Amino acid sequence: MRAGTDLIVIGGGLHGLSAALQSARRGLRVVLLEGAFTGRHASGATAAGVRSLNRAVEELPLSLEAQAQWEDMIALVGDDCGFHAGGQVQVAMDTEAEARIKARIARLEAAGMRHEQWIGPDRLTELVPVMQPGALGAAYVARDGSADPHRTIRAFRAACLDAGVEILENHPVTWLARDGSLWTVVAGGTTHVAPTVVNAAGAWGRQIAKLAGDPLDVGIKNSMMIVTERCEPCLGPVISAQNRKLSFKQTADGTFLIGGGVQGRLRPGGGSASVDFGALSGAMSTTLALFPWVADLRLVRAWAGMEAATADLLPVIGPSHRAPGLIHVFGFSGHGFQLVPSVGRVIADLAETGRTRTELSAFDPGRLATNRKAA
Amino acid sequence: MMIFDVAIIGAGPAGMQAACDLRRRDLSVVVLDEQPAPGGQIWRGVERNCQPGSHLAQGLGAEYRQGADVARSFRASGADYRPLSRVWQIEESSKEAMAQGWQVFVTRESQAEVIEARRILLANGAQERPVPFPGWTRPGVLTVGAAQILLKSGGLLPEGPVWICGAGPLPLLYAHQLRKLGGQIAGFLDTAPRDTLRRGLPHLNGALRDWKSLAKGLGWQAGMRLSGLRRETGVTQLRAEGGDRLERIRWQTPEGEKSATAGVLLIHEGLVPSVHPTLSLQCEHAWSDAQQSLRPVLDPWGETTRSGLFVAGDAAGIDGAKAALAKGALAAIGIARSLGVLSDARARHARVAGDRALSKARAARPLLDSLYPAPEGKIGDDTIVCRCEELTAGQIRAAARRGAADPDRVKAETRAGMGPCQGRQCGYTIARLIAEAHDMPRADVGFHNIRPPLKPVTLGELASLGKTKA
Amino acid sequence: MFRPLPDSPEGPTVTVFVEGQPVVARDGETAASVLLRHLGTARITPVSESPRAPFCMMGCCFDCLAEIDGKGSTQSCLVPVREGMTIARQMGARKVVA
């Protein structure tokens, strides 16, 4: 049994690490419990898009805050995490997509947000010369880009250790309960006690919520990614397409990373996900239409990452209504990477003071609460 | 689409034997193999090379020539044989119509397709154990197996000062074959520990059951001595030096450091089962201390911990070609039994001969394993371990020390094992470095997760698959 | 580095083109084998741009990746020669031709 801990963070993905880091920087004594190793699941399987483009409007304040933090990542974790502001481009391949993008940009501008801009076909070709001509234009955010996920995990982990966070890997949580004002958490044969617990368990977040007596209706996504062999650098921005399943980027190593939310399969037992090549094959058409030359490239690896997903695709961020002292931060539904620095700040606010200046009502756990007995 | 009873992957001894036996029981069989002709590595090119009067076939020896008979039976078996086929993914079928079945994703002549089968037999053999040393990526350095393949498929002999360095039956056999075919060797650097007698003696009695093989091995050694070939024993700390080509090798013996000019360096430190398919299918594996490698856990019928998936031949553990034939025969019985065409009682009766043959074929194995252990010499920090991503032992050691003793974490942090070979060349070394860094047994480290595809496939091939399936 | 057996090759031969030069190959030989004896290397690595040659000859080291009949990153040790086949070393990272 350990005493003197202020905060227990469950989950060593990027959101858990960021919450732990920023809480520790404010003087809290933090223990982080990770079932496998830091970044084992969604954080290590992500395309690592740093994207404010096409964000749900509810997420935009956090996303724009994060955008600024990514530009100064060295200040937060002592490393730029491989962030490269190559821009993000969302292509309109037909008139309906064009209309949708333009309507969105108009709505954003009406609300005073000018981060997205519409670019026509010529500018698009200039930005992405390796793309097949024919697209009608695109939404573009120049300050967006992507980072190196494993470097990001390493940097956040190292910063956590520097800030005094105790990281316990191979410590899956098996039990937690609240007694008076304190939580007791059992993980990997060790017992930890603290007034506040952060549930940053990603795909396992719903299990933790249930263990804590706050069952939430959150599902699982198994988005697949594929990566090619190394190629000469030729693509700056990250490319997506309105109304299509596509995410296409070139990494600093020269490999192309192709995603877009095509779903793999959950393995029996639910502990991991596997690739469905039939589904992947069917989803190649958009990539090949825009970048026909990828047909000659070799696919070197494919994987499916497990991630919690909600019905409204918005994350669960905020204090539990039914389990006092428990703060949820999971369910990012496949687009949580960019939000890591700002959401960590929010969780540190809540852990330190119980309050935050950030509006969290759209992410309120209460909207997903299920009946305790049924759960 | 046709659903085969059995898909066999690999047309070496085990795959061919199993195909023949399964066909005799009237089961439909498809055999997928990467090579242009049957034989596997051991009998590579056997049909072409065993034409009457062939000098090459004579040089390769009687055991090689025996492969021609097996290949002939295999050709006549009625199995649907598909050479030049690269299997890149195996999945359990999700179709409800198949009570139990598998999908094999395969590319042949740039065309990808999915083959369906009720049972899978992996007879995909072994690979040479990768043992990194300074300069092992330099052109001019090849494995002994590679040189033997060049001999069998291209009729090629190495030239320039040719050095063989390593241990095990294969280098002895290859040196013997070269001698018979007029090849020149500058020297043989034996890395086996010098205390042969102490190591081998406890296993000698058992090995005598296979005295023919022992006699052959002793004959190779005697031939080498008689030929006056330079031979060094107790060799460690091999280095391959030069610029863009191998120029010089350097090594250590208990007597001191030595060096020599070299044009070709052929290395060999034993074989390890090819476990990538079974690892990617998440079958259970066990660590063999004797062979310092993983092997899939199999039941007595050759079935893995995933029902319907069988393994035979050296992919199930290194035992050689004779044992592979027996394992192929036993797996065929096991598959027939699992498909219900052979009752349990009949299957048990049918396997008696195979069990006997396997036990005899394995008799000398404990002796060989003890004589030729995997090298345990320290790998220098500047030695490349991951050939694809060009990562050194030092980089991997640093990553290993940074966190949990998990090969997947080290892979994610360093990219070691993420290149096209998917860790076939670095996986065991990474696990060994992690075990050292955390002072734990190799057996407990495991192997990194094998992500599909098993072989790189082009995105065009992948996309064409969707079109043919729709 | 390698030479044909003195009283070989038995059987037919084909002509392939290694970076433009005609080379006679034994039918049954692989593209990697031709690269090895004709040029001594198969590729330049994309990471450190160092030369590599076929190493395992059985499809598991990927150091024989070459351009065969215009198709990049082909495991040349798994490709038997064919009359008129073009074979070229793969120089570093793949080039994208849009």
Side-chain angles (χ1 to χ4, degrees):
Chain A
M1 167 102 60
R2 295 175 42 87
T5 302
D6 298 312
L7 178 67
I8 297 167
V9 176
I10 301 174
L14 282 167
H15 280 287
L17 288 167
S18 181
L21 169 67
Q22 300 190 59
S23 302
R25 290 254 171 88
R26 299 188 196 185
L28 301 188
R29 284 159 299 180
V30 184
V31 172
L32 184 146
L33 304 171
E34 161 56 43
F37 55 85
T38 52
R40 167 67 183 85
H41 286 280
S43 297
T46 172
V50 177
R51 173 177 65 84
S52 62
L53 176 80
N54 193 29
R55 279 264 169 204
V57 68
E58 296 88 341
E59 289 179 1
L60 272 173
L62 283 169
S63 179
L64 296 175
E65 177 185 342
Q67 190 175 62
Q69 288 170 300
W70 275 103
E71 287 167 350
D72 193 17
M73 206 43 132
I74 290 174
L76 188 62
V77 295
D79 187 87
D80 69 10
C81 298
F83 170 63
H84 167 64
Q88 288 247 0
V89 167
Q90 186 196 31
V91 176
M93 294 173 73
D94 51 52
T95 50
E96 194 204 321
E98 177 180 359
R100 276 181 166 236
I101 291 175
K102 285 182 167 166
R104 181 179 76 228
I105 292 176
R107 275 198 308 277
L108 288 172
E109 283 179 358
M113 287 183 278
R114 299 182 181 279
H115 58 287
E116 290 198 28
Q117 64 174 114
W118 171 260
I119 55 171
D122 292 347
R123 176 87 176 99
L124 184 56
T125 302
E126 208 176 285
L127 268 175
V128 195
V130 291
M131 192 167 82
Q132 198 71 352
L136 304 177
Y140 176 51
V141 179
R143 286 172 69 187
D144 280 351
S146 63
D148 175 341
H150 298 298
R151 193 165 155 184
T152 308
I153 294 162
R154 214 160 69 202
F156 272 82
R157 185 182 196 279
C160 274
L161 293 174
D162 272 356
V165 176
E166 186 182 359
I167 297 178
L168 297 174
E169 296 175 300
N170 291 319
H171 276 62
V173 169
T174 45
W175 190 77
L176 72 159
R178 188 177 169 85
D179 182 12
S181 63
L182 289 176
W183 283 96
T184 300
V185 182
V186 177
T190 58
T191 302
H192 307 268
V193 175
T196 311
V197 171
V198 168
N199 172 17
W204 285 264
R206 58 183 180 173
Q207 267 119 287
I208 298 297
K210 191 175 155 189
L211 273 178
D214 184 19
L216 302 176
D217 182 16
V218 178
I220 296 283
K221 265 182 105 163
N222 306 296
S223 296
M224 291 188 285
M225 305 279 305
I226 60 182
V227 64
T228 70
E229 61 189 305
R230 290 174 188 249
C231 300
E232 283 192 335
C234 67
L235 177 68
V238 180
I239 313 294
S240 58
Q242 174 75 48
N243 299 352
R244 314 263 176 136
K245 284 194 158 124
L246 171 73
S247 160
F248 187 74
K249 75 164 194 178
Q250 189 170 25
T251 68
D253 299 315
T255 61
F256 288 95
L257 199 54
I258 308 173
V262 189
Q263 296 297 294
R265 301 192 187 109
L266 205 58
R267 285 208 175 96
S272 61
S274 66
V275 174
D276 178 346
F277 273 99
L280 262 184
S281 168
M284 287 303 299
S285 56
T286 308
T287 311
L288 287 169
L290 290 173
F291 306 98
W293 42 267
V294 303
D296 288 335
L297 299 183
R298 304 271 167 181
L299 185 180
V300 174
R301 271 173 304 125
W303 65 90
M306 279 177 74
E307 154 79 322
T310 61
D312 56 17
L313 302 179
L314 293 174
V316 186
I317 308 173
S320 161
H321 296 290
R322 297 183 288 191
L326 176 68
I327 304 167
H328 294 297
V329 55
F330 71 106
F332 287 85
S333 309
H335 48 263
F337 184 79
Q338 191 246 8
L339 303 177
V340 161
S342 58
V343 170
R345 190 271 303 159
V346 168
I347 304 302
D349 288 350
L350 293 171
E352 186 191 14
T353 67
R355 288 186 307 278
T356 178
R357 64 171 194 270
T358 305
E359 175 59 51
L360 294 178
S361 57
F363 316 125
D364 193 291
R367 78 192 196 281
L368 303 167
T370 60
N371 188 304
R372 280 187 219 215
K373 287 205 178 91
Chain B
M1 188 200 268
M2 163 144 195
I3 299 176
F4 289 95
D5 290 319
V6 188
I8 299 178
I9 294 149
M16 290 196 290
Q17 184 66 54
C20 291
D21 292 358
L22 289 164
R23 285 297 303 141
R24 264 198 292 278
R25 298 188 192 280
D26 244 356
L27 294 166
S28 60
V29 176
V30 61
V31 179
L32 305 165
D33 189 62
E34 288 187 337
Q35 287 185 45
Q41 303 305 343
I42 187 89
W43 293 329
R44 192 169 177 126
V46 73
E47 292 172 325
R48 169 190 313 274
N49 292 333
C50 286
Q51 305 298 333
S54 159
H55 178 56
L56 180 55
Q58 287 308 311
L60 289 170
E63 276 198 8
Y64 177 77
R65 294 192 301 272
Q66 277 162 19
D69 297 333
V70 182
R72 200 171 308 118
S73 306
F74 170 64
R75 290 273 192 191
S77 70
D80 184 344
Y81 167 52
R82 303 190 187 182
L84 296 172
S85 296
R86 221 150 298 164
V87 171
W88 47 270
Q89 165 81 340
I90 301 167
E91 287 178 11
E92 204 154 354
S93 180
S94 52
K95 278 189 195 158
E96 283 163 24
M98 285 169 82
Q100 182 188 31
W102 299 85
Q103 294 188 316
V104 183
F105 293 69
V106 57
T107 295
R108 188 183 180 190
E109 301 277 325
S110 300
Q111 289 294 310
E113 69 169 316
V114 180
I115 288 167
E116 295 194 280
R118 295 162 71 202
R119 298 290 181 273
I120 301 278
L121 175 62
L122 290 165
N124 54 311
Q127 68 167 79
E128 289 170 279
R129 178 195 310 279
V131 178
F133 61 90
W136 74 312
T137 56
R138 189 160 273 130
V141 181
L142 292 86
T143 67
V144 173
Q148 202 190 38
I149 287 166
L150 287 163
L151 179 61
K152 290 171 183 171
S153 64
L156 297 185
L157 297 176
E159 64 176 349
V162 178
W163 291 84
I164 296 178
C165 179
L170 185 64
L172 294 174
L173 168 63
Y174 178 69
H176 176 76
Q177 290 169 336
L178 275 193
R179 246 190 343 270
K180 283 173 70 176
L181 290 164
Q184 300 289 322
I185 303 174
F188 189 99
L189 307 179
D190 195 336
T191 58
R194 281 182 174 174
D195 52 348
T196 308
L197 208 61
R198 187 186 64 76
R199 288 173 164 272
L201 214 52
H203 306 286
L204 191 59
N205 211 18
L208 285 172
R209 284 186 57 211
D210 188 12
W211 61 271
K212 278 187 189 166
S213 300
L214 289 185
K216 211 168 49 196
L218 288 170
W220 297 338
Q221 304 222 27
M224 188 180 290
R225 270 192 295 276
L226 286 172
S227 71
L229 178 71
R230 176 170 176 191
R231 184 167 184 187
E232 299 263 336
T233 61
V235 170
T236 57
Q237 294 177 54
L238 177 69
R239 307 177 72 91
E241 299 174 345
D244 283 357
R245 289 283 176 90
L246 173 69
E247 288 160 18
R248 193 161 195 83
I249 57 171
R250 211 175 278 284
W251 69 93
Q252 197 83 35
T253 70
E255 290 73 42
E257 194 191 274
K258 303 182 185 179
S259 77
T261 55
V264 175
L265 172 63
L266 304 175
I267 54 173
H268 179 85
E269 289 294 351
L271 301 169
V272 294
S274 293
V275 287
H276 269 54
T278 44
L279 283 174
S280 81
L281 284 158
Q282 308 218 309
C283 299
E284 234 175 79
H285 287 71
W287 176 259
S288 161
D289 265 325
Q291 298 193 341
Q292 290 287 300
S293 55
L294 288 170
R295 58 179 63 176
V297 172
L298 303 177
D299 77 0
W301 306 98
E303 193 167 13
T304 65
T305 49
R306 288 193 69 170
S307 143
L309 180 73
F310 294 73
V311 182
D314 271 3
I318 305 304
D319 292 307
K322 268 192 236 160
L325 289 171
K327 285 192 245 183
L330 289 170
I333 295 167
I335 289 170
R337 173 178 168 269
S338 93
L339 285 169
V341 297
L342 204 55
S343 71
D344 188 62
R346 292 181 74 108
R348 280 175 198 285
H349 179 72
R351 66 173 295 152
V352 173
D355 279 331
R356 198 175 300 133
L358 182 56
S359 150
K360 188 172 175 209
R362 277 176 168 161
R365 193 51 50 178
L367 175 67
L368 293 173
D369 290 342
S370 69
L371 291 181
Y372 307 120
E376 288 295 324
K378 182 170 161 85
I379 300 167
D381 270 347
D382 53 355
T383 303
I384 287 181
V385 167
C386 172
R387 296 172 67 101
C388 297
E389 295 293 323
E390 301 186 48
L391 295 156
T392 64
Q395 287 169 297
I396 289 162
R397 279 197 181 101
R401 282 191 289 258
R402 249 190 320 259
D406 189 317
D408 283 316
R409 185 188 62 78
V410 173
K411 175 182 164 195
E413 276 200 27
T414 60
R415 293 186 59 82
M418 283 197 191
C421 98
Q422 290 268 39
R424 285 170 174 88
Q425 293 295 324
C426 64
Y428 280 122
T429 308
I430 292 169
R432 180 180 154 191
L433 296 175
I434 293 172
E436 283 170 12
H438 290 263
D439 196 21
M440 59 196 281
R442 291 277 293 281
D444 295 351
V445 178
F447 206 91
H448 62 255
N449 206 353
I450 305 304
R451 283 175 164 170
L454 291 167
K455 286 286 174 94
V457 57
T458 68
L459 294 173
E461 287 162 14
L462 176 63
S464 71
L465 191 67
K467 283 183 194 113
T468 52
K469 271 182 89 183
Chain C
M1 215 182 269
F2 282 85
R3 65 177 163 93
L5 278 166
D7 45 355
S8 169
E10 291 131 359
T13 59
V14 298
T15 301
V16 298
F17 294 87
V18 181
E19 300 186 351
Q21 273 194 33
V23 177
V24 175
R26 183 191 189 218
D27 185 30
E29 201 174 351
T30 61
S33 158
V34 176
L35 274 168
L36 193 63
R37 66 181 167 84
H38 191 68
L39 296 175
T41 57
R43 66 175 185 133
I44 303 290
T45 64
V47 180
S48 72
E49 303 195 328
S50 19
R52 291 283 174 89
F55 176 70
C56 81
M57 287 302 292
M58 53 169 283
C60 66
C61 76
F62 292 77
D63 266 325
C64 67
L65 292 180
E67 229 178 87
I68 296 182
D69 287 335
K71 200 163 178 183
S73 297
T74 302
Q75 286 186 276
S76 60
C77 74
L78 297 179
V79 181
V81 292
R82 257 195 307 253
E83 185 63 40
M85 175 179 275
T86 63
I87 304 170
R89 283 171 295 183
Q90 184 149 316
M91 307 307 243
R94 289 285 299 273
K95 274 112 203 133
V96 166
V97 186

